[in-house]
Amino acid sequence: QVQLVESGGGLVQAGGSLRLSCAASGRTFSTYAMGWFRQAPGKEREFVAGITRSGGSTDYSDSVKGRFTISRDNAKNTVYLQMNILKPEDTAVYYCAARLLGVVVTTAYDYWGQGTQVTVSS
């Protein structure tokens, strides 16, 4: 069992930055690939970024590539999402997720956090 708790969301002006954190419980964090997803009102949950167990490989959606950076610290059981040059269309609830079998861009992850709201004003 893995419990995930996101933090770091908030209200920011367009062009600003935020860093989201996702703290995981348990001693098996390093065995899971991690992903960040987001869901805007009335829309489906969508993949934002993913990172492999070791952190050696990452993947991004086209909409955030070049602006967002995913990273992880296995010693701290934490995954991060650095978000720069934020746009109003980035407004959503952001979720972290863990998957034993590697990064995928679908929502087929084993564990999910409760989400953190990110609002970008124009």
Side-chain angles (χ1 to χ4, degrees), residues 36-55:
W36 283 99
F37 288 75
R38 66 187 181 186
Q39 189 167 19
K43 294 188 177 182
E44 293 186 351
R45 193 170 297 190
E46 64 173 357
F47 174 81
V48 173
I51 189 166
T52 54
R53 298 174 187 84
S54 67

Side-chain angles (χ1 to χ4, degrees), residues 1-6 22-32 34 72 74 76-79 96 98 111-113:
Q1 188 80 6
V2 176
Q3 292 184 326
L4 304 172
V5 179
E6 301 96 337
C22 173
S25 66
R27 294 176 289 180
T28 60
F29 176 72
S30 62
T31 66
Y32 288 86
M34 299 298 296
R72 67 189 296 164
N74 286 343
K76 295 183 178 180
N77 282 11
T78 303
V79 62
C96 69
Y111 301 100
W112 292 84

Side-chain angles (χ1 to χ4, degrees), residues 109-120:
Y109 280 66
D110 304 309
Y111 301 100
W112 292 84
Q114 84 290 348
T116 185
Q117 176 71 45
V118 172
T119 303
V120 184

Side-chain angles (χ1 to χ4, degrees), residues 11-108:
L11 174 64
V12 64
Q13 288 188 333
S17 298
L18 281 175
R19 187 174 84 151
L20 304 183
S21 299
C22 173
S25 66
R27 294 176 289 180
T28 60
F29 176 72
S30 62
T31 66
Y32 288 86
M34 299 298 296
W36 283 99
F37 288 75
R38 66 187 181 186
Q39 189 167 19
K43 294 188 177 182
E44 293 186 351
R45 193 170 297 190
E46 64 173 357
F47 174 81
V48 173
I51 189 166
T52 54
R53 298 174 187 84
S54 67
S57 181
T58 57
D59 192 16
Y60 298 92
S61 68
D62 289 342
S63 62
V64 307
K65 199 171 294 182
R67 299 188 297 123
F68 290 11
T69 303
I70 188 172
S71 61
R72 67 189 296 164
D73 185 337
N74 286 343
K76 295 183 178 180
N77 282 11
T78 303
V79 62
Y80 305 97
L81 186 67
Q82 178 66 43
M83 306 185 295
N84 297 329
I85 317 175
L86 282 160
K87 304 175 181 180
E89 51 263 43
D90 294 319
T91 295
V93 178
Y94 283 71
Y95 300 88
C96 69
R99 190 173 190 268
L100 194 60
L101 297 180
V103 174
V104 293
V105 300
T106 69
T107 56

